[in-house]
Amino acid sequence: MGVAPSSPHPAPDEALARLREHRPLVQCVTNAVVTGFTANALLALGATPAMVDLPGEAGAFAAVADGSLVNVGTPHAEQRDGAREVAAASRAWVLDPVAVGALPVRTALARELLAAGPAVVRGNASEVMALAGAGQGGRGVDALHGTDAARHVAEELARTSGAVVAVSGEVDLVTDGTTALRVHGGSELLTRVTGGGCSLGATTAAFLGVCAPLPAAVAAALVHKLAAERAAATAAGPGSFAVAFLDALASLTPDDVGAVAASRVVEAQQGARP
Amino acid sequence: MGVAPSSPHPAPDEALARLREHRPLVQCVTNAVVTGFTANALLALGATPAMVDLPGEAGAFAAVADGSLVNVGTPHAEQRDGAREVAAASRAWVLDPVAVGALPVRTALARELLAAGPAVVRGNASEVMALAGAGQGGRGVDALHGTDAARHVAEELARTSGAVVAVSGEVDLVTDGTTALRVHGGSELLTRVTGGGCSLGATTAAFLGVCAPLPAAVAAALVHKLAAERAAATAAGPGSFAVAFLDALASLTPDDVGAVAASRVVEAQQGARP
Amino acid sequence: MGVAPSSPHPAPDEALARLREHRPLVQCVTNAVVTGFTANALLALGATPAMVDLPGEAGAFAAVADGSLVNVGTPHAEQRDGAREVAAASRAWVLDPVAVGALPVRTALARELLAAGPAVVRGNASEVMALAGAGQGGRGVDALHGTDAARHVAEELARTSGAVVAVSGEVDLVTDGTTALRVHGGSELLTRVTGGGCSLGATTAAFLGVCAPLPAAVAAALVHKLAAERAAATAAGPGSFAVAFLDALASLTPDDVGAVAASRVVEAQQGARP
C-alpha cells in the first residue's frame, strides 16, 4: 500500500488489519435502542466494546479506552453527564448527533459536546446540517437530504470544529475541511435495521484506536458498506440481513477490503458542489 | 374491499397498503427490553420508528408523529414524565399496560394514562383485566387468563374509556364496546420471543397513522399473526423465529393479507360470552 | 441419576427437566446492553423472564419470583436502588459483578450487594478476583485471567460470603468453598456475542428456582456450553451463532444433558492449584 505500518494514515485494509491485531477497547455512550446491536457489531469486527456511560465512571474509562463514542439518541439526564465526562477526558471520540434539529434537549447537548472537540462527527445529511445550524434536521433518524446536499456544510463544519465530518447515506462523504472523500457501495437494507448508522459511529471509534480520524472514518464507512453488500447477497429480509451483517463484519478480511478500496473510495472533485 | 381509499375504516389489506405508502412516523415510549426489536419490527413493516421518550422532547414529538406508543414495561422516573407528555400531546396513541396489577408504580401510571384518553389499549387478558380493576394481573408478562375470559371486561373498558381495547392471545379480541372482533391465527413461538406483544403495540400505533383505531388494531393483530405463521414455517427455534418474523413483516403483501382477512377476522357473537 | 426427584441437589439433566416443567419466574435487574438477549435466553430455555428493576416494584417482585439476577453492568441510580430491594427481599439471587475493579460506582455497589448474601456469584476470573479484592478487574467485560488463576480466590470468596462462586471461561469453575467442579465444553464464539456471560447469570437464577445453588450453577454452565457447541456447529459467524444459540437452548433435552454430564462436570483435584 505504500504506507508504513506505523503511519497514522493507513489505507482501509491496513486499518482493518491493525484493528484485528490490537482489538481496541471501545467505550460507547449510546442510545437505549441499539446498545446490544452496537456491542455485537464491535465484537464481530474484532474490537472490545464496553458500554460505560455512568457519571463517575465514564470519564475515567474514557481516559483508558482506545476510542469512545457519544451518541445522543436517548440522552437521559445521567447519560448526559456521562457524555460530558467522556468529552472532557477522551483523546479520541466520535460524536453522533442522532436526530438533532427540532428536538431541543439533544440538540443543545450535541452543540455543547461539539464545542468540546470530538475527533469525528458522524451523522446523516440532515443531522450534520442541523448540528451546523444549516437545517431543521430529519424525520426521526431518517435523512431528508442526500449526502451531496450536505457537502458544503460538512466541509465548513469540519473547518470550524476541527473534527473530521462523516456524512452517511447512499454514498458516504468524509471530510476534514480540506480533503473530501466519497465512499461508494452498501445496501438499502442497512436502512431497514435499527442501529445501522449508530453502529457505524461505534466502529469509527474502534478505528480511532488504530489510526487518525480521516482514515478511521473512511475505513469504518467502507467496511460497513462491504459488510452490508455481503449480507444483502444472502438475506431474505431485514431480520436475516442484520444477522448476516454481523457475520460479514467478522468474515471480511483486510484483503477483501484492499481489493476494492481504490475503486470505492474516491476523492470528491472541488467543482462538484451542488 | 368496498371501502373508499379515503375511508378511516379500511380493510386490513388496504390498511397495510396505506402504511407501506405513507411510512408513518411512529414514536415509541417503551421498555428497555424490547426497544431494538420494536424498532426493527416497525422498520420491517414499513414504518419509521423514533424512540423519543425524554421529558422536554416527547410531547413536542408526539404532536408531529403519526402515531405513538406508551408501554409501561420499565417505567423509570424520566420516562414516566415523557409518557405523560405523549398522553397530553398526541392525537393517536396506544397504551400498553405491561404487567400491571400487583406492581404498584406501573399500575398507578397506567391508570393515570388511561384517563388521558388513548386511542387503543393493547394488552394480554390478564393485563386488560387488571387495568380495568377486574383482576390481579398476570405472572410477569404472561397471561393467566384466556382472551375470552376478558371479553366482557374489555367491552366495558372500551365503553368507559372511549378507547378501542385489543386483547392479544391465542385468539385476539378487538372491541370498541359495541363491536367485538376475533382475529385468528398466529404461532405459539411468538410467546417464546421477548417483544412479541410489545411490538404489536408499536405496529398498532403505526396503523393509527393511516386509519381509525378499530381497523388499526385489527390490521396490526392480523399482520402479526400472519407474519408469525410464515416465520414458524421455517424456524428451527425461538432464535431463528424472531429473525424470520422480521423478514415476514417485510415480505407480507396487502394481497397476502386480503386473501385471508375474511376467514381470520370474525365478529364475536353476542351470546357467546363465557 | 440416583437423586430423588425432590432432592435440592439434582444432576444437571434432572435440573433441566424440572425447569421445563415448572417454568420458574425469573426477575432480572440487568444492564441495558443485554436485556433483550437475556430475556430471549430465558424464554428459549423454558423459564419466564420479568425485567422488573424499578424501586418500589423490584423488592416486592423479588419476594414472589423463583429466582432473581442482579447484574451491575450499567448501574444507573434508580436501578441501584432496585438492586438493593432485590438483595433485601429475594430468597435466591445471583450477583453478576460485571466489570468490577477499576470502575468505582459498580465496584462499591457489588461489594455492598455481596454483603447482602447472594446465593451465587457469577463472573469471569478477573471480575471474581476484583470483587474479592484480589485483582484489578479486567478490560471492560474481558477477563485477563484464566479460570484456574481464580480458583483459590473463588474458594475463599465462597467460604467468606456463603455464596456459591461460579467462574466462567474456557473451562468454568463452580465452588461452594469445599467442593470445586470444573465444567468443560463451549465455544469461543460465545465470547463474540454480547450477553453470553450475562445470560448465564440469568439462567443460573432460573435454575435457582428448581434446585440448590451449587447444582444450579453447574446446570446453567453445562447447558450454556452444550448450547454453544450446538450453535457453533451451524453458525457462519457471531450473528448466526447468537440466533442458533437461542434455538439450541430451546432444543436441548434433559437426555442430551444427561448423556454428557459425567464427562463434562469433573471435580477439581485438591492439589491442582496453579
Side-chain angles (χ1 to χ4, degrees):
Chain A
M1 305 298 302
V3 177
S6 60
S7 165
H9 294 280
D13 53 344
E14 191 186 316
L16 180 58
R18 290 184 192 178
L19 189 152
R20 291 269 164 79
E21 185 185 351
H22 293 295
R23 299 191 59 218
L25 179 61
V26 183
Q27 175 184 35
C28 298
V29 177
T30 193
N31 70 73
V33 187
V34 302
T35 45
F37 187 74
T38 299
N40 279 331
L42 287 169
L43 285 166
L45 186 63
T48 305
M51 278 33 199
V52 179
D53 67 352
L54 201 69
E57 294 188 344
F61 196 82
V64 301
D66 296 306
S68 296
L69 166 69
V70 178
N71 170 306
V72 302
T74 55
H76 294 271
E78 271 186 290
Q79 201 186 55
R80 293 199 294 273
D81 287 337
R84 290 179 180 111
E85 289 188 9
V86 173
S90 174
R91 294 157 296 170
W93 58 290
V94 176
L95 172 62
D96 191 334
V98 177
V100 302
L103 297 168
V105 178
R106 72 192 61 208
T107 302
L109 177 66
R111 291 196 178 136
E112 175 191 340
L113 293 168
L114 178 65
V120 178
V121 172
R122 187 223 74 82
N124 63 39
S126 297
E127 291 162 346
V128 167
M129 293 173 74
L131 181 65
Q136 292 301 308
R139 187 161 170 270
V141 296
D142 264 16
L144 295 176
H145 303 90
T147 304
D148 277 335
R151 180 177 166 191
H152 179 67
V153 171
E155 290 175 335
E156 187 67 25
L157 181 62
R159 284 190 289 267
T160 55
S161 69
V164 164
V165 177
V167 187
S168 53
E170 198 180 321
V171 177
D172 282 20
L173 180 85
V174 180
T175 181
D176 60 5
T178 305
T179 301
L181 298 163
R182 285 204 183 86
V183 184
H184 295 267
S187 163
E188 184 271 343
L189 273 169
L190 200 53
T191 66
R192 299 290 296 273
V193 173
T194 194
C198 295
S199 64
L200 176 55
T203 53
T204 302
F207 280 107
L208 281 180
V210 295
C211 61
L214 191 73
V218 168
L222 181 58
V223 163
H224 267 244
K225 285 186 178 297
L226 297 180
E229 290 167 22
R230 189 172 285 196
T234 63
S240 48
F241 173 82
V243 172
F245 178 73
L246 295 174
D247 285 351
L249 282 176
S251 67
L252 263 183
T253 66
D255 282 350
D256 294 334
V257 173
V260 301
S263 64
R264 298 301 190 87
V265 181
V266 180
E267 193 153 353
Q269 301 190 323
Q270 285 292 359
R273 283 192 190 150
Chain B
M1 309 285 305
V3 177
S6 59
S7 164
H9 295 280
D13 53 345
E14 191 186 315
L16 180 58
R18 290 184 192 178
L19 189 152
R20 292 269 165 79
E21 185 187 350
H22 293 296
R23 300 191 58 219
L25 179 61
V26 182
Q27 176 184 35
C28 296
V29 176
T30 192
N31 70 73
V33 188
V34 303
T35 44
F37 187 74
T38 300
N40 279 331
L42 287 169
L43 284 166
L45 186 63
T48 304
M51 278 32 198
V52 179
D53 67 351
L54 202 68
E57 294 188 345
F61 196 81
V64 300
D66 296 307
S68 296
L69 166 69
V70 178
N71 170 307
V72 303
T74 54
H76 294 272
E78 271 187 291
Q79 201 186 55
R80 293 199 293 275
D81 287 337
R84 290 179 180 111
E85 289 187 10
V86 173
S90 174
R91 294 157 296 170
W93 58 289
V94 176
L95 172 63
D96 190 334
V98 177
V100 302
L103 297 168
V105 178
R106 73 190 62 207
T107 303
L109 177 66
R111 291 197 177 134
E112 175 190 340
L113 293 169
L114 178 65
V120 178
V121 172
R122 188 222 75 82
N124 63 38
S126 296
E127 291 163 345
V128 167
M129 292 172 75
L131 180 66
Q136 292 300 308
R139 185 162 172 270
V141 295
D142 264 18
L144 295 176
H145 303 88
T147 303
D148 278 336
R151 179 177 167 192
H152 179 67
V153 171
E155 291 174 334
E156 187 67 25
L157 181 61
R159 284 190 290 266
T160 55
S161 70
V164 163
V165 177
V167 188
S168 53
E170 198 180 322
V171 177
D172 283 19
L173 180 85
V174 179
T175 180
D176 60 5
T178 305
T179 302
L181 298 162
R182 285 203 183 87
V183 184
H184 295 268
S187 163
E188 184 271 343
L189 273 169
L190 199 54
T191 67
R192 300 289 296 273
V193 173
T194 194
C198 295
S199 63
L200 175 56
T203 52
T204 303
F207 280 108
L208 281 179
V210 295
C211 59
L214 191 74
V218 168
L222 181 58
V223 162
H224 267 244
K225 285 185 178 299
L226 297 180
E229 290 167 22
R230 189 173 285 195
T234 63
S240 47
F241 173 81
V243 172
F245 179 72
L246 294 174
D247 286 350
L249 283 176
S251 68
L252 264 183
T253 65
D255 281 351
D256 294 334
V257 174
V260 301
S263 63
R264 298 301 191 87
V265 182
V266 180
E267 192 153 355
Q269 301 190 321
Q270 285 292 357
R273 286 192 188 146
Chain C
M1 310 285 304
V3 177
S6 59
S7 165
H9 295 279
D13 54 344
E14 192 186 315
L16 180 58
R18 290 184 192 177
L19 189 151
R20 292 270 165 78
E21 185 186 349
H22 293 296
R23 300 192 58 219
L25 179 61
V26 183
Q27 175 184 34
C28 297
V29 177
T30 194
N31 71 73
V33 188
V34 302
T35 43
F37 187 74
T38 299
N40 279 331
L42 288 169
L43 284 166
L45 186 64
T48 305
M51 278 33 199
V52 179
D53 68 353
L54 201 69
E57 294 188 346
F61 197 82
V64 300
D66 296 307
S68 295
L69 166 69
V70 178
N71 171 306
V72 302
T74 53
H76 294 272
E78 271 188 290
Q79 201 186 55
R80 293 198 294 274
D81 287 338
R84 291 180 180 110
E85 289 187 9
V86 173
S90 174
R91 293 158 296 170
W93 59 289
V94 177
L95 173 62
D96 190 334
V98 177
V100 302
L103 297 169
V105 178
R106 72 190 63 208
T107 303
L109 177 65
R111 290 196 178 136
E112 175 190 341
L113 293 169
L114 178 65
V120 178
V121 172
R122 188 222 75 81
N124 63 39
S126 296
E127 291 162 346
V128 166
M129 292 173 73
L131 181 65
Q136 292 301 309
R139 187 162 170 270
V141 297
D142 263 18
L144 295 176
H145 304 88
T147 303
D148 278 336
R151 179 177 166 191
H152 179 67
V153 171
E155 290 175 335
E156 187 67 25
L157 181 61
R159 284 189 290 266
T160 56
S161 70
V164 164
V165 177
V167 188
S168 52
E170 196 178 322
V171 176
D172 282 19
L173 181 85
V174 179
T175 179
D176 60 4
T178 304
T179 301
L181 298 163
R182 285 203 182 87
V183 184
H184 296 267
S187 163
E188 184 271 343
L189 273 170
L190 200 54
T191 68
R192 300 289 296 274
V193 173
T194 195
C198 295
S199 64
L200 176 56
T203 53
T204 303
F207 280 108
L208 282 180
V210 295
C211 61
L214 191 73
V218 169
L222 181 59
V223 162
H224 267 243
K225 285 185 178 298
L226 297 180
E229 290 167 22
R230 188 172 287 196
T234 63
S240 47
F241 173 82
V243 172
F245 178 72
L246 295 174
D247 285 351
L249 283 176
S251 67
L252 265 183
T253 65
D255 282 351
D256 295 333
V257 173
V260 300
S263 64
R264 299 299 191 86
V265 182
V266 180
E267 192 152 354
Q269 300 191 323
Q270 285 292 356
R273 285 193 189 145

